[in-house]
Amino acid sequence: MSSSKIVGIRPQHYVHILDMNTNVTSVEVGPQTLCLQENHKLVLGPAPFVVVPPGHFCRVFDPVDRSKYVKGQPCVVRFRESEMHFHGEPFPLYPGETLSGATSPVEYKDGIRPLPVIHAHEALLLEALDDHTDSDGVPRRAGQKWHVCGPKTFQPSPQIAINRTDSAVVLGPGQALHLKATQGLVDRDGVTRVTGEEWLVRKTGAYLPDVYVETVNLVDPYILTEKVALHIAAKETGTDALGKNRRAGDEWLVTVQDVDSYIPEVIENVMKVENRIVLATQEFAVIGNPVGDDGHPQLGQEELRVGCCSFFLQPGEVLVKKSKAFILGEDEAVVLRAVKAFEDTSGGEEIDRSPGDTWMIVGPRDYIPPIEVAVVEKRRAVPLSKNEGMYVRDVQSGKVRAVMGPQAYLLQANEEKWKKVLPGDVEKMLRSGGGLGDESIRKTAYFESSIDPLLLSGTRDQSRVVSYRCPHNTAVQVYNYQQKTARVVFGPGMVILGPHEDFNVLSLSAGKPKKEGALRSLALMLGPDFTTDIIEVETSDHARLQVKLAFNCHFEYTKGDTESEAKIFSVPDFIGFACRQVSSRIRGAVAQIPFDEFHRHSQKIIRSAVMGMSDHKKILKRVVFEANNLVITNVDIQSIEPVDVRMRDSLMQSVQMAIEIATNSIERSAQHDAKRVEQEARGQLERQALKNEKLAEEARKTLFELQAASAAVESTGQAKAEAQAQAERLLIEGQSEIEATRLRSQATEIEHSAELDAKIQVGQNQVKITDLHFFFFFFVIIWLPSVAVSLLMEQLSLYRECPETDHGPFCSFVSRGHFDLEL
């Protein structure tokens, strides 16, 4: 028999065997060894028995009715049902049964669960799955819910579902639990509750709500002190926590005098926690809608309360204002306005005030305004130093005036600060020192000394008097548009604008060439100054040139003479006016002459055109423009350039050619002078050479004479002759050497003198004498004659010592009688 047909079943194990003939599955338990028949099939196993330990349970689905089970016969299976197994004998799973939570019959331990343990102050919320009677003998209907309270261990039932575990809520001293009924019930205190009803449980300790009771929240008490109160409103008619009957909409205040801690009932709504308002000395408060004697707010009324005191705002009351009393110093005041008619006794006298009356109370004192008075503002005296002021307007008459320092000025009740609005360009010019233009414009440097540091730090106070420091040697014109008059302030000085005065803004031309409106200025530069401009002119032969010129100018005026002072401002753009006048005169003069003449006499032509000519045909030293007394004293032509590029290139080429011609002429003249100096030096050298030859011949003659004397002495006696000859030879050699040295020094001196003269002359004319001349002079004049003389003396000495010996052609020439020693 095959081993696969034999099944060994250990103790407390089981197998499921399927009889394929009857299609019935039976259970075989161990210990035994089972031999399977041909019609048997092992379906499950061997598998261990299900062992439920103490305190655990398991749930079996589709259980078999074990009381009616007959081995080999069909059994009854309760489908869609389940049964619970607790601690007891191990048991096998019959065919069709499944263990809840187990992955397989072999791994059944995942289906073993511990019994639910209910601790103290806890409860299990159970729900009946079908109609049944529970373990306590209480009938339950399907869908019914109830609590099983601890402490205990609960044994589950197939007819019961465990929904959750509910814990009791622990209420501390003074706390309350807010509950709400989800359906009609009788609570634990025996009170009948309807669906949606809410109530509070105030009993200290653990409280477990009923099944059909919802816990809203745990309410903490409000702790009331002397500084804290509760503002409460009734949401519906009922009894509050203090046992008082309240109607819906009623509002009241609960303070520490009523109770130390307070938990509002469900019909009560805490509007807010009111803090006690404390008024110290010199403090006051205005209460709106104050509560009257009848306990109701007096709508629309106000009440003044002055410290020292403290109070809670009653329901309906509003804190309009809480403030300190006005403490006024000697330089302070408060402006008041009556909003209601009343009798004012603040000044010590009874004064009837009507609505709209305005007055002022000046310190030193303290002041608390009554409810009939509105405080307009608190004022402080404004300290004004010298050259400072502010604009003040009378609100009754509308008159505006400037109040100047030094003083501390306090505005009156009918006065207010008046703001003087200046144009935007004037504001910018004041911040930049009075001038507004590009930084490349030279004249903007005039205004650096007039920059006000206060204006650089921020926005100008428009109520302060507008002041401007007029720079040195300038003038500022101020126009009063109310009186239609103008005044001129000369610098250095301070310009102070009245409330109806404005600056006369000058729009000046600037740049090169001049551009209108490039420089805006408050001050007029009186000069002396210079103005530079670039203009275009055209000659009579239609040569267009660009002339850059500068002219000195200044204004002539008489201080104190209103007409003379106003005349210098009669031309708004004096720079553009002067440049146009000068350029028109130059164009008119240049248009009448050709280019060559203008090129040669441009300075004279332009100066005569601008300055004008006198009756004696001399250029005037100044020209005056009568329109604004502007005086031009000098004109400087800085550059003249052709406008046409081709003409400019031609002019540059002609100038370069003229420069080259002049340079070549100077160079040729220098070369001619150098050659002349060279010829003179060469002639001097040749003359010196002839003189040296003459001296050499004279020396040679002396030599020959000495040789003749030596020969005569020799004839008298050899010994005597030799001695005399030796002495004379030495004498002659010394004298010859001295003479040669003297001649050489003279030649060298002459050579150096000539060379120095030649170098000086040639250096001035950038001509150098080559070293060849010097070498030739040295070789021919000095070195060659000296070598010849030395050789001659040496041959004579040899001949005298040994006349019979052949000493060369020279001695042979002497021996043959061709040389006369006496000579």
Side-chain angles (χ1 to χ4, degrees):
M1 182 178 290
S2 176
S3 60
S4 61
K5 297 295 184 176
I6 299 176
V7 179
I9 307 174
R10 292 182 296 175
Q12 295 203 358
H13 283 68
Y14 67 95
V15 295
H16 289 177
I17 304 298
L18 174 63
D19 188 345
M20 291 184 291
N21 292 332
T22 62
N23 197 26
V24 174
T25 302
S26 61
V27 178
E28 297 291 341
V29 298
Q32 66 171 316
T33 300
L34 183 65
C35 295
L36 300 180
Q37 302 298 323
E38 292 297 332
N39 60 335
H40 289 171
K41 180 180 179 182
L42 181 63
V43 179
L44 176 66
F49 280 11
V50 178
V51 179
V52 180
H56 290 71
F57 76 100
C58 66
R59 186 171 188 174
V60 177
F61 288 105
D62 302 329
V64 174
D65 190 356
R66 287 175 169 77
S67 61
K68 299 179 180 181
Y69 175 74
V70 179
K71 184 177 180 181
Q73 297 297 323
C75 59
V76 178
V77 178
R78 294 178 295 171
F79 290 102
R80 305 298 296 173
E81 294 185 11
S82 63
E83 66 179 9
M84 300 293 180
H85 291 265
F86 301 97
H87 173 65
E89 292 293 330
F91 63 92
L93 291 178
Y94 285 83
E97 293 181 340
T98 57
L99 188 63
S100 175
T103 57
S104 66
V106 178
E107 300 293 337
Y108 71 90
K109 292 185 179 181
D110 293 338
I112 306 301
R113 300 176 183 178
L115 292 173
V117 177
I118 307 172
H119 299 283
H121 306 306
E122 288 185 349
L124 284 181
L125 179 62
L126 306 179
E127 183 178 0
L129 299 178
D130 50 18
D131 296 343
H132 71 285
T133 301
D134 61 9
S135 59
D136 297 331
V138 179
R140 303 292 183 184
R141 301 180 63 84
Q144 183 181 355
K145 295 180 180 180
W146 70 98
H147 272 148
V148 175
C149 299
K152 68 179 296 185
T153 300
F154 177 73
Q155 290 188 347
S157 173
Q159 294 84 14
I160 299 174
I162 300 175
N163 288 347
R164 66 175 185 269
T165 300
D166 291 337
S167 298
V169 180
V170 179
L171 302 179
Q175 289 183 323
L177 187 62
H178 186 185
L179 303 177
K180 181 179 180 181
T182 58
Q183 69 180 37
L185 77 157
V186 177
D187 63 7
R188 296 183 186 276
D189 297 331
V191 180
T192 303
R193 305 293 182 181
V194 297
T195 303
E197 183 179 353
E198 297 181 13
W199 69 97
L200 293 178
V201 175
R202 301 175 182 267
K203 185 178 180 180
T204 302
Y207 182 83
L208 184 65
D210 290 330
V211 176
Y212 298 105
V213 175
E214 176 186 354
T215 301
V216 179
N217 62 342
L218 182 63
V219 182
D220 291 324
Y222 290 93
I223 305 302
L224 303 180
T225 64
E226 294 290 342
K227 298 181 179 179
V228 177
L230 292 181
H231 180 189
I232 298 177
K235 296 186 290 186
E236 58 187 43
T237 303
T239 303
D240 64 5
L242 298 178
K244 296 181 180 180
N245 295 325
R246 303 292 183 181
R247 293 182 301 175
D250 286 351
E251 295 183 11
W252 65 97
L253 205 66
V254 179
T255 64
V256 70
Q257 284 77 19
D258 300 324
V259 65
D260 294 335
S261 62
Y262 189 79
I263 298 178
E265 285 291 342
V266 294
I267 66 167
E268 297 177 277
N269 182 25
V270 178
M271 304 298 292
K272 65 178 179 178
V273 177
E274 292 284 356
N275 294 319
R276 181 180 290 272
I277 298 175
V278 179
L279 299 179
T281 306
Q282 303 295 338
E283 287 187 342
F284 68 95
V286 178
I287 307 300
N289 305 326
V291 175
D293 297 336
D294 57 353
H296 295 87
Q298 302 176 8
L299 302 179
Q301 297 187 12
E302 292 182 349
E303 179 182 341
L304 178 66
R305 299 179 186 178
V306 182
C308 298
C309 68
S310 64
F311 56 91
F312 289 108
L313 287 178
Q314 296 297 323
E317 291 183 342
V318 179
L319 179 62
V320 178
K321 180 175 63 174
K322 178 186 177 183
S323 180
K324 292 184 178 181
F326 292 93
I327 308 300
L328 304 178
E330 294 182 355
D331 59 343
E332 292 179 331
V334 61
V335 180
L336 307 174
R337 179 180 292 114
V339 296
K340 296 180 181 178
F342 74 104
E343 291 184 358
D344 183 13
T345 59
S346 58
E349 299 179 359
E350 292 186 0
I351 302 175
D352 293 333
R353 301 289 187 184
S354 300
D357 287 353
T358 304
W359 70 100
M360 187 168 67
I361 294 179
V362 183
R365 62 166 295 177
D366 59 342
Y367 180 74
I368 296 177
I371 59 176
E372 295 86 4
V373 175
V375 178
V376 179
E377 64 175 334
K378 183 180 179 181
R379 292 179 178 178
R380 183 186 296 271
V382 180
L384 302 174
S385 64
K386 188 177 181 181
N387 294 329
E388 286 187 345
M390 65 178 181
Y391 299 111
V392 177
R393 181 175 67 176
D394 191 329
V395 296
Q396 295 179 351
S397 63
K399 184 179 179 181
V400 181
R401 61 189 180 93
V403 178
M404 301 300 299
Q407 64 170 317
Y409 185 75
L410 181 62
L411 292 175
Q412 300 301 315
N414 59 337
E415 292 179 342
E416 66 178 2
K417 291 183 178 180
W418 182 74
K419 294 182 179 181
K420 184 175 180 61
V421 180
L422 297 177
D425 290 347
V426 176
E427 293 280 5
K428 294 180 180 179
M429 283 187 280
L430 289 176
R431 283 194 293 270
S432 60
L436 186 62
D438 191 76
E439 295 180 356
S440 61
I441 300 175
R442 178 184 59 85
K443 286 184 170 54
T444 55
Y446 278 91
F447 310 106
E448 293 180 356
S449 61
S450 298
I451 297 177
D452 190 355
L454 297 178
L455 296 179
L456 294 177
S457 59
T459 307
R460 179 182 66 87
D461 186 359
Q462 296 181 344
S463 63
R464 287 297 183 107
V465 168
V466 180
S467 61
Y468 173 66
R469 288 181 288 183
C470 186
H472 176 72
N473 204 22
T474 59
V476 177
Q477 188 179 40
V478 178
Y479 183 75
N480 190 321
Y481 55 83
Q482 187 179 45
Q483 300 178 0
K484 297 183 179 180
T485 58
R487 59 186 177 93
V488 179
V489 179
F490 293 93
M494 180 68 71
V495 180
I496 297 177
L497 290 185
H500 306 294
E501 290 181 336
D502 278 331
F503 290 105
N504 182 13
V505 180
L506 302 176
S507 180
L508 305 178
S509 300
K512 301 173 187 177
K514 288 294 179 282
K515 181 180 177 181
E516 294 184 359
L519 175 63
R520 297 176 64 81
S521 171
L522 300 178
L524 178 70
M525 286 71 76
L526 299 175
D529 196 1
F530 69 93
T531 302
T532 305
D533 195 11
I534 298 176
I535 63 175
E536 289 187 7
V537 298
E538 185 174 356
T539 60
S540 60
D541 50 0
H542 305 291
R544 299 179 61 192
L545 303 173
Q546 191 178 70
V547 181
K548 183 178 180 181
L549 55 87
F551 54 88
N552 297 340
C553 58
H554 66 275
F555 284 95
E556 289 185 348
Y557 59 92
T558 303
K559 281 189 178 182
D561 188 351
T562 306
E563 183 178 355
S564 177
E565 293 176 351
K567 191 173 183 179
I568 62 178
F569 289 93
S570 59
V571 178
D573 184 6
F574 74 94
I575 296 178
F577 172 75
C579 291
R580 287 192 296 271
Q581 293 292 327
V582 170
S583 60
S584 64
R585 296 186 182 189
I586 294 175
R587 291 192 189 97
V590 174
Q592 300 176 7
I593 56 176
F595 171 74
D596 292 338
E597 183 179 354
F598 177 71
H599 187 65
R600 290 193 300 269
H601 308 290
S602 58
Q603 179 75 13
K604 182 179 179 181
I605 294 172
I606 292 177
R607 285 180 55 84
S608 61
V610 175
M611 308 301 293
M613 302 292 290
S614 65
D615 296 338
H616 301 289
K617 302 300 181 181
K618 293 184 178 180
I619 300 176
L620 297 177
K621 295 183 179 181
R622 50 181 283 166
V623 59
V624 181
F625 295 108
E626 298 296 334
N628 59 350
N629 285 345
L630 180 64
V631 180
I632 297 178
T633 57
N634 188 25
V635 179
D636 178 28
I637 295 89
Q638 297 181 351
S639 64
I640 300 177
E641 295 180 357
V643 176
D644 191 0
V645 178
R646 292 178 298 176
M647 185 176 180
R648 185 185 307 170
D649 296 340
S650 301
L651 183 60
M652 290 296 294
Q653 292 178 1
S654 63
V655 172
Q656 290 177 359
M657 290 178 62
I659 293 173
E660 290 178 358
I661 292 172
T663 304
N664 293 335
S665 176
I666 295 172
E667 184 178 356
R668 296 292 177 84
S669 177
Q671 291 178 357
H672 178 71
D673 292 341
K675 289 181 179 180
R676 179 177 58 79
V677 172
E678 183 180 1
Q679 292 294 334
E680 291 178 355
R682 188 175 297 173
Q684 290 179 359
L685 289 175
E686 290 178 357
R687 287 196 300 270
Q688 187 65 34
L690 293 176
K691 290 180 181 180
N692 291 339
E693 290 178 0
K694 178 181 177 182
L695 295 174
E697 290 298 332
E698 291 178 354
R700 190 180 294 111
K701 177 183 176 181
T702 304
L703 177 62
F704 290 157
E705 289 177 353
L706 294 175
Q707 288 177 354
S710 297
V713 173
E714 185 179 1
S715 63
T716 58
Q718 184 176 359
K720 182 180 179 181
E722 288 178 359
Q724 185 177 2
Q726 183 69 18
E728 290 180 355
R729 183 177 67 82
L730 295 174
L731 179 61
I732 291 171
E733 287 179 359
Q735 291 178 351
S736 299
E737 190 67 20
I738 292 171
E739 186 65 18
T741 303
R742 183 179 62 78
L743 293 175
R744 282 196 301 270
S745 64
Q746 291 179 358
T748 303
E749 183 179 357
I750 293 171
E751 175 187 350
H752 288 333
S753 300
E755 184 180 0
L756 181 60
D757 295 338
K759 284 185 177 181
I760 293 174
Q761 189 66 27
V762 173
Q764 293 176 353
N765 297 279
Q766 300 180 354
V767 178
K768 296 182 179 180
I769 301 176
T770 62
D771 294 337
L772 182 61
H773 297 159
F774 172 76
F775 180 79
F776 176 79
F777 172 78
F778 180 81
F779 181 81
V780 175
I781 304 303
I782 299 175
W783 184 78
L784 190 58
S786 62
V787 172
V789 172
S790 299
L791 293 175
L792 178 60
M793 295 300 293
E794 184 178 0
Q795 293 294 329
L796 287 175
S797 175
L798 294 174
Y799 179 76
R800 288 177 180 176
E801 293 176 357
C802 186
E804 293 81 12
T805 306
D806 186 7
H807 297 286
F810 180 76
C811 293
S812 300
F813 178 79
V814 174
S815 63
R816 287 194 298 267
H818 295 290
F819 186 79
D820 190 0
L821 294 178
E822 294 297 326
L823 179 61

